[in-house]
Amino acid sequence: MRLRPYRKSDAKAVRNWIEDERTHALWCGNLLPFPFTEKDFNQYLEETEERRGNSSFTAVMDDGTPAGFLRMGINPALNSGFLGFVVVDAGERGKGYGKEMLRLAVKYAFEIASVQSLALNVFDCNKAAMGLYRNIGFEETALTPECFVFHDEKWGRCRMEIKKE
């Protein structure tokens, strides 16, 4: 697996990985409409890249097939990075691809972007994702309880961070 810069044509794969409304909310906090189109996704990425400087990456298998996606923003003033929109192909989950994609993202952040820490937010009900992040070395640094409403559920937002050793 490798990370490469996102291509607009990757939107089709990402859209197909978001199988239902709950998965969509867990993934993007409803920052995109559900269901979203490839055009919606690419437009959102372009706008946030322009406003915030976020970069998008696609994790691809050795044959070039997209297997995951994430965004990374770098804050030079704080010497830190932030991950968002982390997702792995639904058909490939549980095979270690998420772990490998995140390992590569952490390596990029620390070795290429030269930040001292990398953070992300995850909803506290997303136990699988939280377990994966912990396995990589992320630690919980803050919890905002019941800050997001999905139908009749209230989700907390957990901030997790990994620091360069």
Side-chain angles (χ1 to χ4, degrees), residues 61-125:
M61 306 303 289
D62 290 338
D63 67 0
T65 303
F69 173 86
L70 59 83
R71 309 225 43 216
M72 185 182 302
I74 302 297
N75 184 331
L78 298 176
N79 200 18
S80 64
F82 193 84
L83 293 178
F85 283 71
V86 178
V87 66
V88 173
D89 178 345
E92 301 297 336
R93 290 183 192 142
K95 298 179 182 178
Y97 297 136
K99 184 177 182 178
E100 180 64 10
M101 178 177 74
L102 286 165
R103 188 189 67 73
L104 291 169
V106 169
K107 182 175 181 173
Y108 178 92
F110 292 160
E111 294 179 14
I112 296 171
S114 298
V115 298
Q116 293 300 307
S117 66
L118 186 62
L120 55 81
N121 287 327
V122 59
F123 289 116
D124 61 358
C125 62

Side-chain angles (χ1 to χ4, degrees), residues 141-156:
T141 59
L143 177 65
T144 307
E146 299 184 351
C147 64
F148 185 87
V149 176
F150 178 76
H151 297 294
D152 60 345
E153 300 175 49
K154 291 182 180 176
W155 301 345

